[in-house]
Amino acid sequence: MAKKLYGIIYMTPRQIKLSIIDLSDFSIIENVSSNFYSNHTYEYQQNIQAIVIALNGFLRVLKEYGVKSYRFWGNQQSLDEISARYLSEQIYVRTTLRVRWLNTSQLTYYKAIAIVTHLDNFKKISSSLTFLLSLGSERVSLSQFSNQKFTSTWNIDLGSAQLYDVNSALKPTASNPTAVIDDYIGSKLEHLKHVFANQAKPSNLILQDAIVINKKFIPEGSTSYSMSLEEFVQLYQKVTNASDQFLMDYFEIDENTITNVASYFLLLYKIVKLTNTKNIILTNITVSDGLAIERAQRTGIKNQNFDELILTTAENMATRYLTSKSHRENVMAIALHLFDQLRKLHHLGKRERLLLQVSCILADIGNYINQQGHYNHSAYILESTKLIGLSNAENQIIAEIARYHSSESPSSTETHFQNLDPDVQMKVAKLAAFLRIADALDDSREEKIHKISVSLREKELIIFAYSNQNISLEQWSFTNKSELFEKVFGIKAILKQRRQLQ
C-alpha cells in the first residue's frame, strides 16, 4: 500500500512537536520536537520568537520528506478567543502557517480516541473499570471507561501552569511547601469526592502526557508501561521525600523541568485513592495520534467512528439537567428522519447531522433553571460548557440551535444571530428548522407520533404522522413552529395524520 504521509505540528505553551505519520498504518515516520522554552510563564506571547524559529524549521523538514499534506494545531487552554486570534495572526505573518486552536474538550477527545485506537490491549483493559488521566497546561481531564465504552469525563483546574505558579510562590516562603501544595490539589479535587464516594470496584488508571515519568519508565520503542499499585506507592514515597537534586539525577532532568514533578505525584496519588486504582499504565500516546486518526477517518483512509464519545457526553449532560429521555429520543428520531430524507434540500453533511443529534439531546436542558424562556437558559448553559470533541464553532452552533428551537426564530434583528458568520447562520437556521418541527410533533410529551414519512413536492413538504391518538396539540404546535422551515427553505410544510391499523 502506498504511503499516505501526513504532517501534524502541535504547539503547547512549553514546546512544539512535529509528527510525520503514515495514515495507512499510523506508523511514525519522523518525530521532531523543539526544546522546552526557556521562559517559564506558560504564555505563548513570551516565547513567540522561539515558536517562529521552530515552525520554520519544521517546514523545512516537511519539505525534505516531500510531505504536502500537513496542519498546524495549538493548545488553546491558556488563551481567550481574542488573544488566540492575535497570536494566530502574528504566527501567520512570520511563517505562513494558520493555527487551528483546540479547546480543552477537543484535547480530551483526541487523547481519548488515540488511547482507544493505539494502546495495547485497551479492549481487555477497559472491559473492567478504567480511567484515563490526561495532563494539560491549564487543566487535567479524567475520563471513565466501562465495559469497553466511554462513559464520562471531568475537567480539573490543575494544569502545569497553575502548579508552576503555586510552586514558584511557595518555595521561598513556605516552611513545608509540599504539604501546602497537597492541600491545594485536594481542594481542586473536592468536587469529585461525591462522584467516587462509593467507588469500591478496583480500577485501572491510564496516565497520559506525564513526560518526565514516561521517559524514566517506558522502554524505547514501546508506547506504554504497566505499574502495580505497590510499585507506584514506593515511587510516590521516594519522590515526595526527595531533594530536587535527587529528582534531577533520578529522572535525568534539569532544574528547569523539576518544578512540577513532586506536584504531579501528589495529584496522581490522590486520583489513585479516589478511583481505587490497582494498576497504572503509563503511555506516550498523545493528542497528535488522535489528530492523525481523525484525518484518516475524514479522508476515508480508515473507517473509524468515534461519534459515540460526543453523544455520550451530551446524554450525560441531559441526564444531569433532568430532561426527559423518552422525549429527546423521540424528537431525535423524527429530526434525523427529516434530515436524511431531505438531503437534496439542505446540502449538509455527516458532521451537521451529528450536531443535529446533539442539539436534540440538549435543547431542553434550560428547563432545569426555568421553563419560562428555557431556550435562552439552554443556550447559556451550552455557551458555558464545551462538549467533548466539538470545536468552539460547533459548540456555538449547538448553543444557537438550542436558543432558536422553541418560540424565537433566528432573524436579522436578533443580536446573537447577527454576530454569527453567514455560513454558521445558515447551519443554525437549517438545523433549528428540523428540530422545531420534530419538537412540535411531540409537544404533549406523550409520544403520540412514533413514525413519520415525507413527500417533497415543488412548493410543499407533506409530513405524514402515523398515530391513532388525538394530535390536535401537535398540529397546533406544528403550525407555529414550521414557519421557520418555510422561511429557510422556501417550502411550506404541511402535517397530515395517518391512522395505523391495529
Side-chain angles (χ1 to χ4, degrees):
M1 182 183 291
K3 290 185 177 182
K4 304 287 186 179
L5 297 187
Y6 183 58
I8 296 172
I9 303 173
Y10 177 58
M11 176 176 67
T12 74
R14 292 288 286 119
Q15 191 182 39
I16 309 183
K17 294 183 178 181
L18 165 65
S19 299
I20 299 176
I21 300 173
D22 183 355
L23 296 181
S24 60
D25 59 4
F26 295 123
S27 59
I28 305 295
I29 305 302
E30 182 66 273
N31 267 330
V32 186
S33 299
S34 72
N35 293 325
F36 287 105
Y37 308 139
S38 58
N39 189 296
H40 283 278
T41 59
Y42 287 87
E43 294 180 7
Y44 285 112
Q45 292 288 359
Q46 301 296 323
N47 300 298
I48 188 69
Q49 191 58 34
I51 290 170
V52 169
I53 291 172
L55 289 174
N56 284 322
F58 290 164
L59 288 174
R60 289 192 291 270
V61 173
L62 288 166
K63 187 175 182 180
E64 289 170 3
Y65 276 90
V67 179
K68 296 181 179 180
S69 178
Y70 55 86
R71 285 188 176 179
F72 172 34
W73 307 86
N75 181 322
Q76 197 189 337
Q77 287 185 321
S78 62
L79 294 175
D80 57 48
E81 290 290 333
I82 300 300
S83 299
R85 201 171 301 149
Y86 291 159
L87 182 62
S88 179
E89 187 64 22
Q90 293 171 28
I91 292 173
Y92 175 73
V93 168
R94 293 168 171 83
T95 66
T96 71
L97 285 170
R98 285 288 187 193
V99 59
R100 290 170 169 81
W101 293 109
L102 299 173
N103 61 39
T104 299
S105 296
Q106 286 176 287
L107 291 168
T108 300
Y109 171 78
Y110 288 121
K111 289 178 181 181
I113 67 172
I115 291 296
V116 169
T117 303
H118 291 312
L119 184 65
D120 292 339
N121 297 320
F122 177 79
K123 284 189 176 181
K124 182 179 179 180
I125 293 168
S126 62
S127 60
S128 57
L129 186 61
T130 298
F131 294 92
L132 170 62
L133 183 66
S134 297
L135 308 179
S137 59
E138 295 292 324
R139 291 173 187 83
V140 168
S141 65
L142 181 66
S143 301
Q144 179 178 309
F145 294 83
S146 183
N147 298 321
Q148 300 181 350
K149 291 184 178 181
F150 169 82
T151 57
S152 195
T153 191
W154 302 270
N155 289 321
I156 308 164
D157 288 331
L158 270 174
S160 51
Q162 290 98 322
L163 291 174
Y164 179 83
D165 289 343
V166 173
N167 273 296
S168 300
L170 287 175
K171 280 198 173 181
T173 58
S175 58
N176 189 357
T178 300
V180 178
I181 293 170
D182 189 54
D183 289 342
Y184 174 76
I185 292 171
S187 70
K188 296 294 185 180
L189 297 176
E190 187 68 30
H191 69 291
L192 291 180
K193 287 184 178 179
H194 77 279
V195 176
F196 300 107
N198 300 315
Q199 172 57 30
K201 188 183 295 185
S203 69
N204 302 303
L205 181 67
I206 302 168
L207 180 61
Q208 197 173 28
D209 290 331
I211 299 173
V212 171
I213 308 174
N214 289 348
K215 182 181 176 183
K216 175 70 177 179
F217 290 99
I218 297 179
E220 189 166 344
S222 180
T223 59
S224 64
Y225 174 81
S226 186
M227 182 183 294
S228 68
L229 177 61
E230 292 74 18
E231 185 181 357
F232 167 73
V233 171
Q234 291 176 2
L235 180 63
Y236 164 78
Q237 292 171 343
K238 179 187 292 186
V239 169
T240 52
N241 291 312
S243 66
D244 282 359
Q245 186 58 54
F246 174 84
L247 294 177
M248 288 164 60
D249 294 339
Y250 184 76
F251 288 107
E252 297 181 358
I253 53 178
D254 58 30
E255 59 186 7
N256 294 321
T257 313
I258 193 64
T259 307
N260 287 345
V261 172
S263 299
Y264 277 132
F265 273 91
L266 293 171
L267 168 63
L268 187 54
Y269 184 70
K270 288 185 181 297
I271 295 290
V272 164
K273 290 199 297 182
L274 203 62
T275 56
N276 196 21
T277 293
K278 301 302 180 186
N279 184 47
I280 299 167
I281 301 103
L282 308 177
T283 179
N284 53 23
I285 298 169
T286 68
V287 65
S288 294
D289 297 299
L291 291 167
I293 291 165
E294 185 195 50
R295 179 65 176 179
Q297 174 192 336
R298 291 203 175 190
T299 54
I301 298 173
K302 297 289 184 179
N303 185 23
Q304 293 174 289
N305 191 328
F306 296 98
D307 291 350
E308 199 59 41
L309 273 73
I310 299 170
L311 294 171
T312 298
T313 305
E315 286 286 351
N316 289 342
M317 185 184 295
T319 300
R320 185 163 68 247
Y321 286 101
L322 307 179
T323 67
S324 167
K325 183 175 179 63
S326 59
H327 172 65
R328 62 182 187 251
E329 288 180 345
N330 198 31
V331 168
M332 186 193 302
I334 295 171
L336 294 181
H337 183 84
L338 289 171
F339 185 96
D340 293 340
Q341 295 301 311
L342 301 175
R343 291 183 185 277
K344 292 182 179 179
L345 191 63
H346 59 68
H347 298 289
L348 298 175
K350 290 182 180 179
R351 194 66 178 179
E352 288 76 23
R353 189 182 191 274
L354 174 64
L355 297 182
L356 178 59
Q357 281 184 274
V358 173
S359 299
C360 291
I361 296 169
L362 296 174
D364 285 337
I365 59 176
N367 280 320
Y368 186 86
I369 298 174
N370 196 327
Q371 279 190 322
Q372 185 175 1
H374 77 280
Y375 41 88
N376 284 323
H377 299 310
S378 295
Y380 171 76
I381 294 170
L382 291 168
E383 286 169 345
S384 305
T385 309
K386 305 297 185 187
L387 265 77
I388 185 172
L390 299 187
S391 67
N392 289 337
E394 289 171 332
N395 274 286
Q396 184 183 40
I397 289 172
I398 297 295
E400 295 303 322
I401 293 171
R403 190 189 311 280
Y404 298 118
H405 87 279
S406 187
S407 59
E408 292 186 5
S409 294
S411 69
S412 58
T413 60
E414 288 285 333
T415 304
H416 290 282
F417 198 66
Q418 284 178 348
N419 293 334
L420 301 177
D421 291 336
D423 182 53
V424 174
Q425 286 180 345
M426 284 309 301
K427 288 180 181 179
V428 169
K430 289 177 180 181
L431 296 177
F434 291 132
L435 178 52
R436 285 176 79 127
I437 288 178
D439 194 50
L441 296 183
D442 194 32
D443 200 67
S444 65
R445 305 300 198 265
E446 294 182 5
E447 303 167 59
K448 297 175 184 177
I449 301 168
H450 288 281
K451 175 186 174 184
I452 65 167
S453 61
V454 299
S455 175
L456 181 60
R457 302 173 185 177
E458 187 175 345
K459 295 182 179 180
E460 292 179 339
L461 171 69
I462 309 297
I463 299 177
F464 298 100
Y466 293 82
S467 176
N468 292 335
Q469 300 182 55
N470 185 334
I471 61 169
S472 296
L473 177 59
E474 283 72 19
Q475 287 173 325
W476 172 81
S477 182
F478 179 88
T479 300
N480 293 325
K481 291 190 175 183
S482 63
E483 290 179 358
L484 177 59
F485 184 91
E486 186 172 359
K487 287 181 180 178
V488 174
F489 296 106
I491 293 173
K492 185 173 181 61
I494 298 171
L495 179 64
K496 293 185 178 182
Q497 183 175 6
R498 280 190 171 174
R499 301 285 177 178
Q500 293 177 296
L501 295 177
Q502 296 295 333

